[in-house]
Each structure stands twice: as C-alpha cells, then as structure tokens.
Amino acid sequence: MPLQRIPEAQLRQARELIAAAERVLVFTGSGVSAESGVPTFRGEHGLWRSFRPEELATPEAFARDPKLVWEWYGWRRSTLRSCRPNPGHLALARWMASRSGVTLVTQNVDGLHEAAARAVAPPSSARGGGAAPIKLHGSILVDRCSRCAYRREIGGAESAPPPCPECGALLRPDVVWFGEPLPEREWSRAIAAASRAEVALVVGTSALVYPAAGVVYHAAARGASIVVVDPDATAVDRHAHILLRGPAGAVLPDLLR
Ligand code: OAD
C-alpha cells in the first residue's frame, strides 16, 4: 500500500489533544511490532493466514498434541530472539518516561514494550524504566504450569513441553489462548484505565479480538477521544476522532516528540 505523509495539521491536532489530557490510555496490538519483524495475525503475511488458530492456540489443541503446540511456540520464540524495539516502541517508551498519567495496555506477548522501556530508562536510572504495560494476552517469554501456579522465564530449547518441577503437569507458554479468560487483574486494571482516560491512543490493532478490543469501546463510551494509528482500516475507526493512517514506527515518533 503506498503510504502518504500524514498532514501536519492532523498530527498537530492529535498532539494537542494528547498534551491536554491528564490521563491517556495507549492500547496496542501486533502492528506496533510489525516494523520489528514480528508478524501480525490477520494481515497479508499474518500468522493466522498460514496457521489455524484452533490447531495451535487453544487448550484443546494443547491437550490433543502438546508437542505440536510447544514446537510452534518454540518457532515463534526463536524468531523473536532477533527482534528489537522499533522507533514506535521507543518513542512511546520515551514519552511515557517523560510524563505521568499514561497507561499502556497491550495485546502483544512479545515483550518489546518492556524492552523499549529498559532501553530508554534502564531500571537503574531514576525513572526505573517506567510503568510496566498491562498485558492482556500474557507473555510468550514465560512458561507456566498447565495445572498449578508455577511460572518460569523461558529457558532451554526443550523439544517437547517439560513437566512442572512442582506438580509434574506439562508446562505451556504463559499466553492466553482462544476460549480462555483474560487474566482478571490485568482486565480490571485495563478497564479502570479506560474509564478514566480522556484520550485513547489505539495503535496497530484490527480491534477484532474480544474481550481485549472492548477496552477501546469502553473508553469511547466513557467519553474518551479516540486517536487511531494504523496504516489500514480497523474496527474502531468509526469511533475515532483522529485517524493517523501510517505505520507506528513513523507516526509515533512524530506524534509523541
Ligand atoms: P491483527 O493482525 O488482527 O491486526 C494488526 C493490525 O496492525 C492491523 O490493523 C494492521 O493494519 C496493523 N498494522 C500492520 N502494520 C502496522 C504498522 N507498521 N504500524 C501500525 N499498525 C500496523 O493483530 P491484533 O489486532 O494484534 O490474540 O490481534 C489481536 C489478537 O488476535 C492478538 O493479541 C492475538 C490474535 O489472535 C491471541 O493470541 C489471544
């Protein structure tokens, strides 16, 4: 798709809206990581174009063929190893470290928002790396037990899901699969932030997956102005006060400078 420059007047309007807001919700999806080399889900080269979610990202799939599901996540983890935060993640992290009142809610499991926060304000610095994002879909960089509460950071290159050292059930990636509930605490924090936000900045998501996408509708219903950053149409465009049609890696540094 040929990208056109976003008109300066539109960017200025969005900047003013955001600067005037005491509380801003940022809601991101896989598009914010596209320029880091992480595939999105539904686009032309999206993961769900080549793989069937019900064969790989459901509890039933894991029960049926744990090794297959484990291998698929192993492949995704290995491709992530070479991915770094892009200028969009970094602009967002820098901006969040420079002001208060921003809550970042992400559907992404790739850890790139956290990596960007560490890059712009390392944990040893006064700002301590900024507030951690609220992760609605978990983290691909963590394993958890499929039965008990055991969790660990991903480690070796096991070719099949290993047993939990505490209860012996199989370990699985700590991500939310289709048919599973979102983590309760994250969900209530996201909804609370959406209720308070004067502006919701929605970046790189088709906003088709529920309940996560409901966060944006909740913010809109509570009166937040919606600013969408995405090169393509999204399900929330009709609620948008300002549509910034472009890639996050180019638009966010310009918007949040
Ligand atoms: P989608 O693949 O549905 O949407 C990606 C969005 O990113 C689209 O709107 C693209 O136009 C946009 N996009 C592509 N490149 C971009 C760029 N450079 N800058 C900004 N935007 C860009 O992915 P998500 O909305 O993230 O859930 O999908 C939501 C959930 O569906 C995921 O968290 C995952 C998936 O199934 C689970 O696995 C539970």
Side-chain angles (χ1 to χ4, degrees), residues 53-64 69 73 177-180:
E54 64 276 19
E55 281 169 15
L56 296 160
T58 63
E60 293 76 20
F62 189 67
R64 196 170 46 238
V69 173
Y73 280 93
W177 283 332
F178 290 98
E180 293 185 320

Side-chain angles (χ1 to χ4, degrees), residues 28-35 40-43 46 48 53 57 73 76 107-109 137 175-178 182 203-209 229-234 246-249:
T28 65
S30 56
V32 77
S33 298
E35 290 150 273
T40 61
F41 290 91
R42 295 173 182 77
W48 297 150
Y73 280 93
R76 282 180 63 193
Q107 301 164 91
N108 297 349
V109 297
H137 289 162
V175 298
V176 174
W177 283 332
F178 290 98
L182 300 191
V203 187
T205 178
S206 60
L208 288 170
V209 172
V229 177
D230 200 297
D232 280 314
T234 82

Side-chain angles (χ1 to χ4, degrees), residues 5-6 11 18 27 36 39 49 82 92 95 97 133 149 151 177 179 184 218-219 221-222 244 246 252:
R5 236 192 106 65
I6 293 171
L11 269 171
I18 289 169
F27 183 78
S36 296
R49 291 279 169 125
S82 58
L92 195 54
W95 174 71
R151 279 185 163 74
W177 283 332
E184 237 169 72
H218 190 83
R222 293 300 184 98
L244 302 173
L252 290 180

Side-chain angles (χ1 to χ4, degrees), residues 55-56 58-75 77 157-162 170-173 177:
E55 281 169 15
L56 296 160
T58 63
E60 293 76 20
F62 189 67
R64 196 170 46 238
D65 195 342
K67 191 166 187 297
L68 174 73
V69 173
W70 184 262
E71 279 171 355
W72 189 64
Y73 280 93
W75 168 73
R77 285 166 168 175
E158 294 116 332
S159 58
L170 293 184
L171 296 187
R172 54 164 280 185
W177 283 332

